[in-house]
């Protein structure tokens, strides 16, 4: 049970929040919205009835928020993102409304179980991983901090695929998250807009002798907005996430229909609807796919047209666009906005180029999320101009002005111009989206200190030289509402019982927990909670996989997308090493350890899929071998999602953050684990560095090469094979895989993986192997001293204040957006007249 204190009942509530109010409305929704009486109602009907009951309470706040923003013409941040990985809404909305306990009691009194209803929700998996989840955390924080904001994205009909595991391999199934309806959205067809695609551009002089540009498209797609309320924690602010669905402007092509070509008439509709059909399941590269570029221009154009509509409703002149709106680009996926806003202002609203450009630059800000070269978006010119002929012209024009600026600052430096140009002309020609984003924005940021430094020194160094004032770091954060309060109510209650509940909004207050670090009773309660959470997860594992894991063992978890740079296979090498030690000496004294993995691989990423197969193959052998005597267990948890993650973070003892230094821009799972009391084993990469600084080096298991050492090794010539020949345990582990021991005697299966390691080992597994093994050993020894481990765990939580997304959003507001909170009072009630 959540404490009453933690989730105080809201005041001024139109609908009422007492248990009786909720019961009454629940039954009412079951009857009038679901159209069911109890004997026929399914669990899903109950979930829907509760969701609509909760939604009424959101709508009240939403309408008041919209009214206040409209009246005050509030400056607004638009967060443009191709992904919003929101996770389930019901539980989070109950927490943020402060009615979790009342709802629990209400459904209990009706003979239902709230947890079962929460489980019923199909989560909107409209994102791949870190980037999409970050966008969702930021929406939560913006609403909590009462910042006027709109999230703009795509309402994919199919979100991230569901992952099944068959014979150890990942198998993808489509995610039909909308099949039972979505109670959290409201469609707004009256605000639909049209987006042009393809065709050609006419330059002409109108009857008054004015120069004009007209884009005659090959096709037009309609965008219909679906609005989702985003409620802040214990505020009345409910902002909007507006997601666009693609439709055909007319359901039928009447010319084709009348000529008897019915199928042809419907075909056009299908083609249009394809635009928002499916999320691209790669978390870092979708180069050259026409549909992907279509998705980008689709949601960007819809969103920008929407902002212009809002300005018109509020009677604001377009010359003040940048005063009304600031637009944050979540990576380069929406970077085409820069050309689209220019097009809207210049071609459709007849603004002069220079004024439009000044507005554009002042409006946009760009967040970079990766320095992996394969993730830097570029579009072949041929594809780009055929889909977006007018944008191509605009980009050439921007480039022309830009190159003049570069030439002025760096005369006689043609190499620099070639490097910085918006067009890559080194071979086949490409549009470089990151360059467009840098030129068209007034602010550029990385997502952790090291990442920003690398952007400045390396990937975007030319832009840093030209525009040093534009650069800053904004270390990522995560929302403690979802990832502690909702996911871990038991820990939440313990913390609040000691330090009050202010920490939920002001995470720095967790510092007060340090006073209890030596309190034996508190330590014991802390341990009990962790043990119970591990036991719950263990029960789930035995239910789902038939594998018994011991909740007393060290739960070592690596949960994130599967990627070579994240090095799940380094983790596997450690497991094989432990296994080899047991085989060589069956009585060896080792700390019992449970290794859990979770994460999806991009369907086209063969090596990542092979890593999943390797994990499962090793698990099969290790879990069955009687010599192991249950001292190590390995489980791959399939279909990792936000919903499932909420059960995983709280149950972790050790959080694996073992990417090659310099490769993980920030990481955010590292923060979620640590906030739930896991200790980190990690490299000096991304936000790990800052986490270690905060929690103290003595409370963090550090290993591995630094980014500079990696660079140097690369430059000096790295020879992975030397490590193989000189490190006996590494050789044994690799040889076990190579011999076919884990693949029913087939030595071919894992060859591609091993070949990459022997040949190049681009992510330095071999170089980091020994340090990782030693560090794991160290962690396993510390775990034997439960009191010491618990102290470290408490200190980790106590020192996580920095990693609240509230802190990140405050920094964006102060340094980039220049937006202040707007207080929302619940004044607007349901009108009794029009
Ligand atoms: N990231 O999830 C993605 N997708 C991309 O295409 C590029 C980067 C991740 O973004 C997170 C949020 O900033 C980072 O924490 C993470 O390191 C990065 O890989």
């Amino acid at each position: 049970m959540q404490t009453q204190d933690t989730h105080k009942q809201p005041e001024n509530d139109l609908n009422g929040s007492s248990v009786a109010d909720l019961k009454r409305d629940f039954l009412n929704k079951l009857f009038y919205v679901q159209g069911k009486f109890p004997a026929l109602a399914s669990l899903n009907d109950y979930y829907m009835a509760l969701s609509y009951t909760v939604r009424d309470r959101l709508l009240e706040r939403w309408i008041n928020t919209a009214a206040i923003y409209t009246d005050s013409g509030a400056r607004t941040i638009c967060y443009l993102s191709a992904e919003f990985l929101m996770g389930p809404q019901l539980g989070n909305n109950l927490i943020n409304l402060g009615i979790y306990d009342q709802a629990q009691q209400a459904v209990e009194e009706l003979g239902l179980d709230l947890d079962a209803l929460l489980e019923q929700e199909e989560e909107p998996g409209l994102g791949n991983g870190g980037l999409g989840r970050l966008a969702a955390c930021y929406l939560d924080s913006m609403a909590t901090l009462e910042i006027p904001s709109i999230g703009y994205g795509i309402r994919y009909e199919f979100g991230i695929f569901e992952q099944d595991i068959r014979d150890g391999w990942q198998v993808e199934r489509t995610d039909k998250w909308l099949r039972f309806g979505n109670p959290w959205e409201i469609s707004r067809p009256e605000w639909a807009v049209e987006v042009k695609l393809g065709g050609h551009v006419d330059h002409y002089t109108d009857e008054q002798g004015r120069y004009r540009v007209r884009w005659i498209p090959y096709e037009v797609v309609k965008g219909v907005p679906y609005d989702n309320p985003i409620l802040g924690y214990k505020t009345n602010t409910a902002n909007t996430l507006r997601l666009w669905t693609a439709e055909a402007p007319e359901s039928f092509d009447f010319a084709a229909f009348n000529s008897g070509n019915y199928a042809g008439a419907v075909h056009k509709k299908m083609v249009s609807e394809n635009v928002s059909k499916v999320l691209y399941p790669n978390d870092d590269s979708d180069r050259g796919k026409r549909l992907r570029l279509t998705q980008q221009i689709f949601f960007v154009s819809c969103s920008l047209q929407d902002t212009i509509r809002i300005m018109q409703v509020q009677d604001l002149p377009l010359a003040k666009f940048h005063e009304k709106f600031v637009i944050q680009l979540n990576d380069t996926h929406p970077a085409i906005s820069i050309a689209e806003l220019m097009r809207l202002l210049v071609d459709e609203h007849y603004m002069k180029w220079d004024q439009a450009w000044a507005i554009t630059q002042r409006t946009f800000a760009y967040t970079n999320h990766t320095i992996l070269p394969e993730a830097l978006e570029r579009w072949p010119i041929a594809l780009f101009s055929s889909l977006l002929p007018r944008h191509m012209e605009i980009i050439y024009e921007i480039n022309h002005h830009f190159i003049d600026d570069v030439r002025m600052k760096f005369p006689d430096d043609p190499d620099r111009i070639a490097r910085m140009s918006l067009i890559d002309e080194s071979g086949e020609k490409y549009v470089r989206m990151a360059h467009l984003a840098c030129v068209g924005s007034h602010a550029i940021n990385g997502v952790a200190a090291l990442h920003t430094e690398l952007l400045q020194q390396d990937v975007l160094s030319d832009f840093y030289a030209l525009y040093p004032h534009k650069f800053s770091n904004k270390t990522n954060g995560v929302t403690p509402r979802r990832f502690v309060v909702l996911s871990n109510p038991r820990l939440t209650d313990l913390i609040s019982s000691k330090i009050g509940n202010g920490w939920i909004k002001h995470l720095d207050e967790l510092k007060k927990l340090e006073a209890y670090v030596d309190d034996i009773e508190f330590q014991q309660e802390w341990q009990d909670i962790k043990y119970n959470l591990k036991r719950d997860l263990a029960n789930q594992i035995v239910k789902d996989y038939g594998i018994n894991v011991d909740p007393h063992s060290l739960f070592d978890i690596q949960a994130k997308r599967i990627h070579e740079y994240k090095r799940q296979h380094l983790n596997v090498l450690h497991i094989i090493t432990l296994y080899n030690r047991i085989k060589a000496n069956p009585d060896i004294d080792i700390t019992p350890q449970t290794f859990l993995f979770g994460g999806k691989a991009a369907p086209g990423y063969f090596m990542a899929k092979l890593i999943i197969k390797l994990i499962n193959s090793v698990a099969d052998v290790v879990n069955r071998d009687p010599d192991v005597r249950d001292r190590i267990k390995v489980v791959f948890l399939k279909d990792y999602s936000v919903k499932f993650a909420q059960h995983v973070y709280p149950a972790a003892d050790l959080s694996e953050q073992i990417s090659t230094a310099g490769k993980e821009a920030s990481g955010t799972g590292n923060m979620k684990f640590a906030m739930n009391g896991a200790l980190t084993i990690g490299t000096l990469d991304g936000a790990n560095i800052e986490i270690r600084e905060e929690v103290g080096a003595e409370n963090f298991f550090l290993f591995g090469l630094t980014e500079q050492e990696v660079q140097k090794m690369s430059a000096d010539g790295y020879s992975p094979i030397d490590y193989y020949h000189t490190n006996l345990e590494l050789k044994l582990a690799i040889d076990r895989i190579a011999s076919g021991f884990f693949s029913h005697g087939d030595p071919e299966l894992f060859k591609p993986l091993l070949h990459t390691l022997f040949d190049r080992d681009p992510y330095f597994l071999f170089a980091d192997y020994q340090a990782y093994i030693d560090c794991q050993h160290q962690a396993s020894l510390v775990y034997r001293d439960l009191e010491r481990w618990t102290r470290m765990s408490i200190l980790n939580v106590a020192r996580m204040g920095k990693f609240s997304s509230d802190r990140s959003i405050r920094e964006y507001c102060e340094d980039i957006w220049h937006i202040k909170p707007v207080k929302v009072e619940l004044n607007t009630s349901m009108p009794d007249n029009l």
Side-chain angles (χ1 to χ4, degrees):
M1 274 284 277
Q2 310 276 339
T3 56
Q4 281 298 328
D5 188 37
T6 309
H7 306 297
K8 183 176 85 181
Q9 194 163 315
E11 291 136 19
N12 280 334
D13 221 307
L14 200 67
N15 292 283
S17 304
S18 69
V19 173
D21 293 327
L22 294 171
K23 271 167 76 177
R24 180 202 61 221
D25 282 6
F26 177 89
L27 294 169
N28 183 289
K29 299 295 178 198
L30 189 65
F31 196 87
Y32 287 110
V33 180
Q34 290 307 101
K36 287 274 181 79
F37 61 98
L40 275 195
S42 64
L43 202 53
N44 193 61
D45 290 318
Y46 294 136
Y47 157 73
M48 294 293 266
L50 183 59
S51 297
Y52 282 115
T53 303
V54 171
R55 196 181 85 170
D56 282 353
R57 280 127 186 108
L58 291 182
L59 287 189
E60 196 181 320
R61 287 163 175 77
W62 206 14
I63 287 165
N64 275 277
T65 305
I68 285 165
Y69 289 172
T70 306
D71 287 352
S72 65
R75 177 163 164 82
T76 301
I77 155 74
C78 301
Y79 200 83
L80 257 61
S81 179
E83 303 186 9
F84 285 93
L85 190 49
M86 299 300 290
Q89 294 298 290
L90 176 56
N92 200 67
N93 284 329
L94 288 172
I95 295 283
N96 282 10
L97 276 168
I99 59 169
Y100 193 97
D101 293 346
Q102 295 92 309
Q104 189 164 43
Q105 196 182 328
V107 297
E108 241 166 52
E109 288 182 14
L110 292 167
L112 300 168
D113 171 29
L114 182 60
D115 286 342
L117 300 191
L118 295 177
E119 271 309 305
Q120 193 58 35
E121 182 168 351
E122 296 254 11
E123 81 171 68
L126 309 185
N128 275 287
L131 174 145
R133 184 54 233 178
L134 185 78
C137 283
Y138 282 0
L139 293 183
D140 179 272
S141 284
M142 288 188 277
T144 299
L145 296 175
E146 304 174 318
I147 300 298
S149 64
I150 310 176
Y152 280 116
I154 302 177
R155 180 178 175 272
Y156 301 104
E157 188 180 333
F158 301 113
I160 186 68
F161 61 87
E162 281 176 24
Q163 179 194 53
D164 210 347
I165 301 293
R166 281 191 218 143
D167 188 28
W169 293 97
Q170 168 175 297
V171 176
E172 300 91 20
R173 280 188 281 119
T174 39
D175 154 65
K176 303 197 182 92
W177 70 288
L178 287 167
R179 78 189 121 179
F180 298 120
N182 174 7
W184 304 107
E185 63 184 11
I186 294 184
S187 73
R188 308 283 192 197
E190 68 277 22
W191 293 334
V193 292
E194 295 195 339
V195 177
K196 299 182 200 178
L197 300 168
H200 66 277
V201 180
D202 256 5
H203 294 255
Y204 66 102
T205 312
D206 73 4
E207 283 144 18
Q208 279 88 44
R210 291 171 305 200
Y211 174 72
R212 292 285 185 246
V213 182
R214 183 166 49 205
W215 174 14
I216 296 113
Y218 171 73
E219 61 182 323
V220 172
V221 176
K222 186 162 87 171
V224 181
Y226 282 69
D227 283 357
N228 301 259
I230 307 293
L231 182 71
Y233 178 73
K234 286 194 184 174
T235 63
N236 294 321
T237 300
N239 288 326
T240 298
L241 169 61
R242 182 160 290 165
L243 300 177
W244 300 94
T245 282
E247 288 184 8
E250 289 290 335
S251 288
F252 291 100
D253 175 340
F254 282 104
F257 188 55
N258 289 333
S259 67
N261 183 4
Y262 182 81
V266 178
H267 178 73
K268 222 170 176 176
K269 179 172 155 62
M270 269 167 40
V271 170
S272 304
E273 287 172 357
N274 267 345
V275 172
S276 57
K277 192 63 90 187
V278 63
L279 167 78
Y280 274 92
N282 298 309
D283 69 338
D284 53 17
S285 71
D286 290 298
R287 278 191 194 164
K289 306 260 170 43
R290 188 183 181 90
L291 181 58
R292 171 82 170 169
L293 183 58
T294 309
Q295 290 184 336
Q296 296 184 352
I297 187 63
F298 167 71
F299 93 91
V300 154
S301 177
C302 288
S303 308
L304 291 178
Q305 291 184 63
D306 196 55
T307 55
I308 291 176
R309 179 188 60 78
I310 293 171
M311 299 228 24
Q312 287 163 347
V313 170
Q314 297 184 9
D315 239 344
L316 296 167
L318 279 184
K320 289 185 183 286
F321 189 90
H322 59 288
E323 292 176 24
K324 168 71 187 170
F325 290 113
V326 53
I327 301 181
Q328 190 69 37
L329 303 173
N330 199 24
D331 216 286
T332 53
H333 317 144
I336 186 65
S337 317
I338 289 161
E340 173 67 359
L341 184 61
M342 287 300 289
R343 188 189 71 78
L344 289 167
L345 295 178
V346 172
D347 294 0
E348 301 204 351
H349 295 276
Y350 309 127
M351 196 180 273
K352 289 264 180 302
W353 177 277
D354 288 347
Q355 187 189 4
W357 183 242
I359 289 173
T360 297
Q361 277 191 316
R362 286 192 218 172
T363 297
F364 287 102
Y366 159 52
T367 305
N368 174 291
H369 292 266
T370 181
I371 57 166
L372 294 186
E374 65 267 30
L376 292 176
E377 282 194 304
R378 23 176 232 161
W379 295 104
I381 294 280
L383 164 62
F384 197 96
S385 2
S386 80
L387 189 69
L388 302 171
R390 178 57 182 147
H391 297 78
M392 192 70 253
E393 290 181 350
I394 290 170
I395 287 173
Y396 278 130
E397 181 75 22
I398 296 172
N399 202 32
H400 176 75
H401 292 282
F402 168 61
I403 283 174
D404 280 349
D405 290 349
V406 179
R407 202 175 282 119
M408 196 119 69
K409 178 131 189 215
F410 301 100
D412 306 319
D413 195 347
D415 287 349
R416 182 183 298 266
I417 288 172
R419 287 197 308 267
M420 296 185 78
S421 169
L422 304 191
I423 313 295
D424 177 352
E425 303 193 60
S426 55
E428 188 194 349
K429 285 193 187 177
Y430 291 97
V431 185
R432 294 163 160 161
M433 300 310 276
H435 293 205
L436 177 63
C438 287
V439 174
S441 297
H442 65 280
I444 302 165
N445 74 281
V447 291
L450 173 66
H451 170 59
T452 300
E453 223 178 282
L454 294 175
L455 285 180
Q456 292 175 175
Q457 286 165 13
D458 186 11
V459 189
L460 298 178
S461 59
D462 287 324
F463 289 91
Y464 185 53
L466 182 65
Y467 308 127
H469 55 282
K470 287 193 187 184
F471 282 74
S472 74
N473 175 54
K474 297 285 168 282
T475 298
N476 284 342
V478 302
T479 170
R481 270 76 63 181
R482 180 176 290 273
F483 291 108
V484 185
V485 180
L486 176 62
S487 313
N488 203 339
R490 291 173 252 191
L491 191 68
T492 299
D493 284 352
L494 175 61
I495 295 173
S496 296
S497 73
K498 294 293 181 201
I499 64 168
N501 57 28
W503 60 275
I504 298 171
K505 261 194 168 168
H506 305 280
L507 205 65
D508 285 326
E509 290 187 18
L510 285 176
K511 272 255 159 347
K512 296 181 194 161
L513 279 180
E514 291 198 30
Y516 299 91
V517 71
D518 294 318
D519 177 334
I520 302 288
E521 217 173 289
F522 182 71
Q523 286 178 1
Q524 190 58 50
E525 287 180 74
W526 193 272
Q527 278 169 23
D528 289 349
I529 287 170
K530 182 62 86 181
Y531 176 79
N532 285 325
L533 289 162
K534 288 165 67 179
R535 197 196 46 205
D536 290 351
L537 185 60
N539 289 339
Q540 193 61 46
I541 290 173
V542 79
K543 215 165 113 208
D544 293 347
Y545 304 94
I547 301 172
N548 277 304
V549 303
D550 176 7
H552 288 291
S553 65
L554 195 173
F555 273 28
D556 174 318
I557 310 187
Q558 188 167 17
K560 50 181 77 235
R561 287 296 286 242
I562 312 293
H563 208 299
E564 287 164 280
Y565 85 79
K566 295 179 191 277
R567 301 200 295 191
Q568 280 90 355
H569 44 342
L570 178 59
N571 189 338
V572 175
L573 288 180
H574 168 243
I575 296 170
I576 298 175
T577 302
L578 288 182
Y579 177 71
N580 286 342
R581 287 180 187 173
I582 291 174
K583 294 305 278 182
N585 174 10
D587 291 325
I588 190 173
D589 180 20
I590 64 162
T591 306
Q593 211 159 334
T594 297
F595 297 94
L596 301 175
F597 292 84
K600 296 177 183 177
Y605 185 176
F606 170 71
M607 217 55 114
K609 290 179 128 176
L610 195 56
I611 291 174
I612 293 179
K613 174 68 176 166
L614 176 65
I615 295 168
N616 283 310
S617 304
V618 170
D620 272 353
V621 170
V622 168
N623 295 346
R624 278 190 293 111
D625 190 328
D627 284 350
V628 173
R629 280 187 264 123
D630 291 344
R631 281 168 294 178
I632 51 178
K633 280 280 163 73
V634 184
V635 185
F636 187 90
L637 305 164
K638 67 178 180 189
D639 202 33
Y640 191 68
S641 60
V642 176
K643 192 188 203 173
F644 186 54
Q646 290 172 195
H647 300 291
V648 171
Y649 297 122
D653 292 310
L654 194 61
S655 150
E656 296 273 352
Q657 306 300 335
I658 60 176
S659 50
T660 318
K663 301 295 180 199
E664 188 71 88
S666 159
T668 43
N670 45 6
M671 302 167 187
K672 296 166 199 167
F673 277 111
M675 271 183 203
N676 282 281
L679 306 188
T680 304
I681 181 162
T683 48
L684 284 178
D685 199 17
N688 293 354
I689 298 174
E690 291 158 75
I691 291 175
R692 180 168 171 269
E693 271 165 21
E694 291 294 307
V695 304
E698 67 288 5
N699 298 307
F700 187 106
F701 297 106
L702 176 71
F703 76 96
L705 298 169
T706 63
E707 193 276 330
Q708 284 182 339
E709 287 164 345
V710 168
Q711 288 296 337
K712 183 164 184 321
M713 228 180 217
S714 256
D716 295 351
Y718 168 50
S719 171
I721 198 89
D722 296 348
Y723 290 85
Y724 171 81
H725 286 306
T726 52
N727 188 319
L728 185 60
E729 284 204 307
L730 172 62
K731 182 170 185 312
L732 285 175
I734 292 290
D735 289 351
R736 271 255 196 239
I737 303 173
S739 69
F741 185 82
F742 297 112
S743 41
H744 305 286
D746 176 6
E748 296 299 311
L749 183 61
F750 297 114
K751 249 196 187 146
L753 207 51
L754 298 177
H755 186 257
T756 307
L757 294 175
F758 282 131
D759 187 36
R760 290 184 302 127
D761 188 13
Y763 299 107
F764 295 82
L765 271 77
F766 285 11
D768 270 345
Y769 169 83
Q770 193 57 51
Y772 180 56
I773 299 290
D774 294 344
C775 193
Q776 273 280 359
H777 185 63
Q778 178 63 23
S780 77
L781 291 181
V782 174
Y783 186 73
R784 290 172 175 224
D785 179 352
L786 208 49
E787 188 187 322
R788 178 167 168 210
W789 186 278
T790 306
R791 288 182 89 264
M792 290 168 76
S793 167
I794 296 169
L795 288 176
N796 263 263
V797 173
R799 296 171 180 175
M800 285 304 288
K802 173 172 173 184
F803 303 100
S804 167
S805 42
D806 298 347
R807 188 267 314 146
S808 315
I809 288 300
R810 271 197 202 95
E811 289 179 8
Y812 279 98
C813 283
E814 276 161 28
D815 303 343
I816 299 179
W817 301 340
H818 307 295
I819 296 202
K820 298 225 162 5
V822 171
K823 192 121 212 108
V824 176
E825 309 285 351
L826 292 187
N827 292 327
T828 309
S829 50
M830 211 161 68
D832 46 20
N833 210 334
L834 286 183

